[in-house]
């Protein structure tokens, strides 16, 4: 029987969860051209690596391009040469796209919302310009479960970020290929491959409800080690006759 190193075991576990999500939710198809937003955080660096390695498999054949969105009014310092080299290691070209937003134009929305909205708008713009049919986002399983808990708690809605979202209005599909990968997996991967942390100094950044929900998810797992799988399963086990 083959003996694997601890690093090999970690990579195999992550690949297994990644591939299970991609195949199980039908996220990648023959001929896809996928745009990845590469911010420089561990999640986006991991997504570029995982998609890059997956693209080297014979079927289905697909291509990947990465974009780094520079929000010129936010002092986020990214090492573009590092990002370019990271993408190139997996034969993925990197596009740098500059944009900005004025928080005074819509005081009803928080600067964080406006920044996120404009970054997402930039992804659609670049995807269209380069003939992409899908945009891959770096949300992992923890992100999806935290959003589920947030929406139940603050919105009164049983909803979250789906692994696959077809946006017919924009003729684009949003995919989350790391939907079954745990955040702890990505922390391990970032340490194994020594991802370079980018400098971030956002004047609008503060403690958020998402940080609180991350803590609650950890508390639930302390109560029940299988809590994340129960939460995930609940999204496809809606017992309507036992609900109001």
């Amino acid at each position: 029987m083959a003996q694997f190193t601890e690093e090999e075991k970690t990579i195999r576990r992550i690949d297994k969860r990644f591939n299970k999500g991609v195949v199980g939710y039908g996220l990648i198809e023959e001929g896809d051209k996928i745009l990845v937003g590469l911010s420089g955080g561990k999640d986006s660096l991991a997504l570029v690596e995982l998609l890059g390695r997956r693209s080297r498999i014979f079927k289905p054949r697909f291509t990947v391009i990465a974009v780094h969105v520079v929000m010129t009014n936010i002092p986020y310092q990214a090492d573009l040469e590092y990002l370019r080299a990271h993408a190139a290691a997996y034969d993925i070209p990197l596009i740098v796209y500059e944009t900005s937003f004025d928080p005074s134009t819509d005081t009803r929305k928080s600067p964080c919302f406006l920044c996120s909205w404009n970054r997402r708008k930039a992804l659609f713009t670049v995807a269209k310009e380069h003939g992409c049919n899908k945009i891959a986002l770096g949300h992992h399983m923890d992100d999806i479960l935290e959003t589920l808990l947030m929406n139940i708690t603050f919105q009164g809605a049983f909803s979250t970020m789906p692994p696959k979202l077809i946006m017919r209005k924009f003729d684009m599909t949003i995919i989350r290929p790391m939907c079954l990968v745990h955040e702890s997996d990505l922390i391990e991967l970032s340490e194994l491959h020594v991802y370079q942390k980018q400098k971030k100094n956002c004047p609008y950044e503060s403690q958020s409800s998402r940080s609180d929900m991350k803590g609650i998810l950890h508390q639930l797992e302390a109560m029940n080690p299988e809590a994340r799988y129960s939460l995930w399963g609940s999204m496809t086990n809606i017992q309507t006759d036992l609900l109001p």
Side-chain angles (χ1 to χ4, degrees):
M1 182 179 292
Q3 296 296 314
F4 298 104
T5 65
E6 288 304 311
E7 179 176 353
E8 288 171 334
K9 288 178 183 177
T10 297
I11 298 298
R12 286 169 66 87
R13 183 184 71 245
I14 294 171
D15 279 345
K16 182 177 180 181
R17 288 173 176 166
F18 179 77
N19 291 329
K20 183 178 180 181
V22 167
V23 174
Y25 293 103
L27 303 186
I28 299 176
E29 300 166 293
E30 185 72 26
D32 279 347
K33 188 171 185 181
I34 302 172
L35 179 76
V36 180
L38 179 55
S39 67
K42 73 178 189 314
D43 300 340
S44 65
L45 289 167
L47 183 56
V48 164
E49 176 179 340
L50 292 169
L51 275 176
R53 286 199 274 113
R54 175 84 186 184
S55 70
R56 292 169 178 171
I57 297 174
F58 184 66
K59 285 188 176 182
R61 302 300 296 173
F62 66 97
T63 55
V64 183
I65 63 172
V67 60
H68 177 73
V69 179
V70 177
M71 197 64 64
T72 56
N73 60 310
I74 301 292
Y76 188 116
Q77 298 176 34
D79 185 337
L80 294 179
E81 289 310 308
Y82 171 74
L83 297 183
R84 192 169 280 110
H86 179 77
Y90 304 98
D91 304 316
I92 296 174
L94 176 68
I95 297 161
V96 178
Y97 184 89
E98 291 191 355
T99 187
S100 65
F101 71 96
D102 181 357
S104 67
T105 58
D106 190 348
T107 55
R108 296 170 301 174
K109 303 292 186 182
S110 70
C112 292
F113 174 88
L114 293 172
C115 181
S116 177
W117 189 87
N118 279 280
R119 287 181 185 278
R120 191 66 58 88
K121 181 181 176 183
L123 292 183
F124 276 91
T125 298
V126 176
K128 285 292 187 182
E129 286 177 353
H130 292 268
C132 298
N133 64 312
K134 290 179 179 175
I135 296 174
L137 302 180
H139 299 120
H140 45 69
M141 190 183 206
D142 296 55
D143 287 327
I144 293 172
L145 294 177
E146 288 157 17
T147 300
L148 173 68
L149 293 172
M150 287 176 66
N151 289 350
I152 290 171
T153 304
F154 297 106
Q155 304 296 331
F158 196 81
S159 62
T160 188
M161 303 180 291
K164 184 177 184 178
L165 178 62
I166 299 173
M167 305 189 73
R168 302 192 189 282
K169 181 179 178 182
F170 300 100
D171 192 26
M172 190 70 61
T173 299
I174 302 293
I175 59 173
R176 296 179 170 90
M178 299 194 300
C179 58
L180 298 184
V181 179
H182 301 188
E183 183 173 29
S184 58
D185 292 331
L186 302 180
I187 292 171
E188 282 188 63
L189 185 64
S190 68
E191 292 171 349
L192 279 173
H193 293 174
V194 197
Y195 288 166
Q196 182 176 307
K197 192 171 183 178
Q198 306 297 300
K199 295 179 182 178
K200 189 175 183 181
N201 184 26
C202 178
Y204 308 114
E205 194 171 40
S206 62
Q207 187 75 1
S208 67
S209 298
R210 182 168 293 280
S211 299
D212 296 334
M213 284 304 168
K214 190 182 295 290
I216 289 171
L217 180 58
H218 290 163
Q219 289 179 44
L220 292 172
E221 289 189 290
M223 294 167 58
N224 172 20
E226 299 296 310
R228 69 171 52 232
Y229 301 111
S230 294
L231 284 169
W232 192 273
S234 73
M235 291 187 282
T236 54
N237 185 24
I238 310 296
Q239 300 179 17
T240 54
D241 55 331
L242 298 179
L243 293 171

